[in-house]
Amino acid sequence: MFRKTVAEGIELKLLQTSEADALYALVDRNRERLRRWLPWVEQTRSPEDVRAFIRRVLDQYHSNLGPQTGVWVNGSLSGTLGCHPIDWSNRNCSLGYWLDTGYEGKGVMTRCCAAMLDYIFNELKLHRAEVRCGVENFRSCAIPKRLGFTREGVVRQAEWVSGRWIDLVVWGLLADDWGVVSRKDRKV
Ligand SMILES: CC(C)(COP(=O)(O)OP(=O)(O)OC[C@H]1O[C@@H](n2cnc3c(N)ncnc32)[C@H](O)[C@@H]1OP(=O)(O)O)[C@@H](O)C(=O)NCCC(=O)NCCS
């Protein structure tokens, strides 16, 4: 099973269907802030919806299309970080993430993303990683920026979220870029 220790008290673990109730409760507690940026939140109305999602992403993982993980902080499920299905023809994948409000601003997600990038570049040997964030989602955009991604452009009205179109910034990172960032004394 996919499992990575990120730092003391922070772990990434492949999501399991037995965690559906806990994950739903976490989404529900964070619903108002998450629905602003994440289109799936509106359609997530019961633990069964989350269970179906976890089944789908376990299939994805077992089909070698990348993991969707729970972010565990001090033993509590506190968010998720995962790969959207890997495009193996181009050795490319994009990442998505969210975190419980109680753990924001402590560097948790930046460090989790760094661990995931180590995995996708060093173990899976992917060529490129991408993150797409709402242009006004400053907290989210700060993560790829901090990790050395290049701001490659803006795709206009690319996502329908909570009753409005949002423009998305495309952040890209190549395996070679990550090699350089990894060799430097990284801040994360
Ligand atoms: C976006 C989101 C995941 C950010 O999570 P996070 O854990 O707060 O982000 P970080 O880990 O990068 O936090 C960095 C902050 O922690 C601080 N920090 C503390 N210790 C740190 C460390 N060891 N390493 C890095 N940063 C550290 C940084 O200084 C930074 O503070 P600042 O933002 O005031 O400059 C979270 O806000 C969220 O869930 N938002 C809603 C959902 C969402 O938008 N998802 C993304 C859709 S594209």
Side-chain angles (χ1 to χ4, degrees):
M1 189 186 87
F2 182 94
R3 187 173 182 153
K4 295 252 169 246
T5 299
V6 173
E8 202 182 327
I10 308 177
E11 252 194 315
L12 295 177
K13 287 192 270 179
L14 191 68
L15 286 169
Q16 300 297 318
T17 47
S18 57
E19 294 156 1
D21 289 356
L23 189 57
Y24 177 73
L26 191 63
V27 170
D28 209 38
R29 275 208 303 284
N30 286 277
R31 185 176 292 282
E32 276 319 302
R33 46 184 282 278
L34 297 184
R35 66 188 284 280
R36 212 170 147 215
W37 302 117
L38 299 168
W40 51 264
V41 174
E42 294 291 334
Q43 287 96 55
T44 304
R45 288 286 159 198
S46 70
E48 201 37 60
D49 292 335
V50 173
R51 219 175 322 277
F53 163 74
I54 297 175
R55 278 196 210 103
R56 255 197 331 275
V57 297
L58 281 172
D59 275 354
Q60 169 184 317
Y61 179 69
H62 294 302
S63 308
N64 196 29
L65 294 173
Q68 273 283 351
T69 67
V71 175
W72 292 77
V73 184
N74 300 328
S76 300
L77 182 57
S78 303
T80 73
L81 163 64
C83 297
H84 300 126
I86 294 171
D87 168 3
W88 276 108
S89 313
N90 300 303
R91 296 194 358 252
N92 187 338
C93 126
S94 85
L95 300 181
Y97 45 73
W98 63 273
L99 191 68
D100 179 44
T101 187
Y103 289 109
E104 276 186 309
K106 302 180 195 323
V108 171
M109 197 52 84
T110 302
R111 284 178 286 177
C112 288
C113 286
M116 187 61 87
L117 291 167
D118 279 340
Y119 170 71
I120 68 177
F121 288 130
N122 300 339
E123 295 184 42
L124 298 184
K125 309 287 181 202
L126 295 192
H127 179 65
R128 176 185 157 85
E130 214 174 84
V131 175
R132 293 182 172 219
C133 322
V135 286
E136 290 177 352
N137 192 349
F138 304 115
R139 270 179 180 276
S140 181
C141 285
I143 292 177
K145 187 171 180 194
R146 199 177 288 124
L147 290 170
F149 282 64
T150 298
R151 190 184 194 278
E152 295 178 335
V154 172
V155 278
R156 294 177 308 149
Q157 302 195 0
E159 209 158 53
W160 176 254
V161 192
S162 281
R164 75 211 198 280
W165 289 109
I166 61 170
D167 296 350
L168 296 178
V169 182
V170 179
W171 296 90
L173 184 76
L174 305 182
D176 284 350
D177 303 336
W178 188 241
V180 173
V181 175
S182 300
R183 278 194 296 278
K184 279 198 225 149
D185 192 14
R186 260 192 352 222
K187 288 194 189 69
V188 293

